[in-house]
């Protein structure tokens, strides 16, 4: 009997054996068998008698693409989608995948740097602390000034849309905006914020930074579950979901939960700083230098999200990862925070945002000004915004 290492003759169409195809494609025979079982890379012919697999040489390019995609760590189920696309669409999908990887790496880097800074500061504090000093916790000494947040929230349907899928909330312990999309977008954005409301952690002096970060992760996971439940009745739950940018007050710090392209800004010392990073394809193109910030404002492509809260299934058109970024934000009395959906940030430039936030006497006036700016710019999308001040309590 012929062994599974020899080529098939001309009578069978000049196919090659699995061993020869493995050499040509740089994939092992074991991997080829596995990919056949998964339906990812089918052989051109399987001998009905001995089960030997034979491949057409024209399959080599597709097999090499599979090998390259595995080398960048792409999951097999996503590779199956990519190899089924034409070259242009496959390129877009690969870019979206890699941008998501870089976004997740950046989030881990930011968390690592926060931990380095926090532990370094903690070490300096401990080295200065007398042996008999009482532990006063992260909120400072017994005489530390007590702070609070005072905010206002507003959503606006805009000028073009016929339904509002954005949600916003401002309370004494929670600030949040969510921008829903798809059939169940309104339900998703509302569910994400509702899941955060029962998260009163009390004064964070009783919790370490590690405990607070764990609590933030748990809170983000609760929001993700709530969104999945909310969109489950939809005809295509994987196509519905929401962004989420939220800040939870711990008593002396704000815990940030962020996923998607809604944003959080900090006004301090007269300057407006963006403190979140968009999880979008356009932002990834800015990050890798293929698109300038000026070009991004008029980019014709769809607003492809790399991360969002959505259903379990992942469609090829939207690369969704459900893990939100979390971190702790140190605050100062006099800080003013702006959280908004892209219905505001995409149509109003940063200078005008800053001017409106600076000019408003209070958060309520600020959100009204901001919604008005979005409408003046054409109001092409729903708007959600929250403005909050850090004030001395009492």
């Amino acid at each position: 009997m012929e062994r599974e290492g020899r080529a098939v003759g001309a009578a069978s169409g000049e196919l090659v054996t699995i061993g020869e195809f493995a050499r040509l494609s740089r994939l092992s025979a074991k991997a080829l068998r596995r990919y056949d079982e998964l339906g990812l890379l089918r052989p051109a012919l399987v001998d009905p008698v001995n089960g030997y697999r034979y491949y057409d040489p024209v399959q080599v390019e597709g097999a090499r693409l599979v090998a390259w995609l595995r080398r960048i760590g792409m999951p097999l189920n996503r590779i199956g989608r990519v190899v089924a696309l034409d070259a242009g669409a496959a390129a877009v999908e690969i870019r979206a995948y890699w941008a998501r990887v870089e976004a997740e790496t950046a989030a881990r880097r930011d968390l690592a740097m926060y931990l380095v800074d926090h532990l370094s500061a903690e070490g300096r504090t401990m080295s200065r602390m007398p042996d008999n000093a009482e532990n006063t916790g992260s909120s400072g000494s017994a005489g530390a000034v007590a702070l609070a947040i005072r905010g206002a929230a507003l959503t606006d349907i805009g000028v073009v849309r016929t339904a509002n899928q954005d949600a916003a909330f401002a309370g004494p312990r929670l600030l949040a905006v969510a921008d829903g999309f798809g059939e169940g977008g309104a339900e998703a954005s509302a569910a994400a914020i509702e899941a955060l409301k029962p998260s009163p952690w009390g004064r964070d002096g009783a919790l370490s930074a590690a405990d607070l970060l764990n609590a933030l992760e748990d809170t983000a996971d609760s929001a993700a579950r709530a969104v999945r439940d909310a969109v489950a009745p939809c005809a295509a739950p994987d196509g519905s979901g929401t962004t989420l940018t939220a800040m939870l007050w711990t008593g002396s710090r704000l815990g940030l939960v962020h996923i998607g392209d809604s944003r959080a800004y900090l006004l301090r010392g007269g300057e407006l700083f963006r403190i979140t990073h968009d999880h979008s394809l356009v932002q990834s193109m800015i990050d890798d230098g293929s698109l300038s910030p000026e070009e991004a404002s008029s980019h014709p492509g769809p607003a492809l999200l790399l991360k969002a809260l959505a259903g379990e299934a992942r469609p090829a058109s939207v690369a969704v990862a459900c893990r939100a970024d979390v971190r702790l934000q140190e605050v100062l009395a006099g800080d003013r925070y702006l959280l908004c959906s892209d219905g505001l940030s995409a149509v109003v430039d940063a200078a005008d945002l800053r001017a409106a936030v600076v000019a408003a006497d209070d958060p309520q006036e600020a959100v009204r000004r901001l919604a008005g700016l979005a409408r003046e710019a054409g109001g092409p999308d729903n708007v959600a915004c929250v403005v909050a001040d850090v004030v001395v309590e009492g």
Side-chain angles (χ1 to χ4, degrees):
M1 182 179 289
E2 184 180 62
R3 293 182 59 81
E4 191 185 11
R6 297 173 54 191
V8 178
S12 59
E14 299 296 343
L15 302 181
V16 298
T17 64
I18 191 172
E20 177 64 11
F21 192 73
R23 184 187 69 79
L24 293 171
S25 65
R26 304 294 180 89
L27 289 166
S28 69
K30 180 178 179 181
L32 288 171
R33 294 187 188 98
R34 175 63 172 158
Y35 297 161
D36 179 16
E37 293 168 358
L38 295 173
L40 180 59
L41 188 59
R42 296 290 195 187
L45 172 68
V46 178
D47 191 305
V49 177
N50 55 35
Y52 290 170
R53 297 169 173 87
Y54 299 97
Y55 294 81
D56 192 317
V58 300
Q59 294 179 276
V60 169
E61 281 304 308
R64 286 175 175 169
L65 177 59
V66 172
W68 293 329
L69 294 175
R70 287 298 289 158
R71 289 176 71 177
I72 67 172
M74 185 177 285
L76 288 174
N77 63 342
R78 188 159 187 170
I79 290 176
R81 297 199 300 266
V82 172
V83 298
L85 300 171
D86 62 50
V92 170
E93 182 73 6
I94 294 168
R95 175 185 284 279
Y97 166 76
W98 192 248
R100 195 201 79 186
V101 171
E102 290 185 325
E104 292 174 345
T105 301
R108 292 196 296 270
R109 179 199 63 215
D110 291 344
L111 178 56
M113 291 302 97
Y114 167 79
L115 292 173
V116 168
D117 292 344
H118 169 75
L119 293 173
S120 298
E122 191 173 77
R124 290 192 295 270
T125 300
M126 292 300 294
S127 67
R128 294 193 300 266
M129 187 178 294
D131 292 340
N132 62 350
E134 293 184 0
N135 182 8
T136 58
S138 61
S139 59
S141 65
V145 174
L147 300 175
I149 55 170
R150 300 287 182 265
L154 181 147
T155 65
D156 185 70
I157 195 171
V159 175
V160 176
R161 298 293 177 89
T162 58
N164 192 352
Q165 294 186 310
D166 284 10
F169 180 81
R173 307 200 68 80
L174 172 66
L175 312 171
V177 297
D179 182 357
F181 57 85
E183 176 192 352
E187 292 79 6
S189 60
I193 292 179
E194 284 299 316
L196 302 186
K197 290 181 180 179
S199 303
W201 300 339
R203 294 293 179 185
D204 68 341
L207 295 175
S208 68
D211 288 335
L212 286 170
L213 289 170
N214 286 341
L216 280 174
E217 289 253 343
D218 292 343
T219 298
D221 289 344
S222 296
R225 288 192 297 271
V227 170
R228 288 196 294 270
D229 291 344
V231 303
C234 296
D238 51 310
S240 295
T242 186
T243 69
L244 177 66
T245 300
M247 305 192 83
L248 294 102
W249 180 240
T250 71
S252 65
R253 289 179 284 195
L254 283 165
L256 174 67
V257 176
H258 170 67
I259 187 167
D261 62 355
S262 294
R263 293 180 176 180
Y265 296 85
L266 165 63
L267 179 70
R268 179 180 287 175
E271 295 296 323
L272 189 69
F273 306 95
R274 177 150 63 106
I275 59 174
T276 54
H277 195 76
D278 292 351
H279 300 136
S280 67
L281 182 59
V282 167
Q283 181 64 56
S284 76
M285 295 172 72
I286 295 173
D287 294 341
D288 66 21
S290 58
L291 199 66
S292 71
E294 293 73 26
E295 292 168 332
S297 62
S298 58
H299 188 263
L304 178 64
L305 290 175
L306 302 178
K307 297 175 71 174
L309 302 180
E312 287 287 359
R314 271 83 169 190
S317 59
V318 181
V320 177
C322 289
R323 178 62 65 181
D325 297 346
V326 300
R327 75 166 187 267
L328 297 174
Q329 177 78 24
E330 301 296 336
V331 301
L332 297 174
D335 285 348
R336 175 168 283 185
Y337 286 88
L338 163 64
L339 282 62
C340 66
S341 63
D342 69 337
L344 177 64
S345 59
V347 299
V348 179
D349 65 36
D352 290 336
L353 286 179
R354 176 192 171 278
V357 174
V358 168
D361 290 332
D362 56 53
Q364 191 67 55
E365 180 187 348
V367 295
R368 287 196 298 266
R369 283 175 179 259
L370 292 166
L373 287 175
R375 280 185 166 267
E376 289 171 12
D381 198 358
N382 304 151
V383 170
C385 59
V386 168
V387 173
D389 293 337
V390 179
V391 300
V392 176
E393 195 169 29

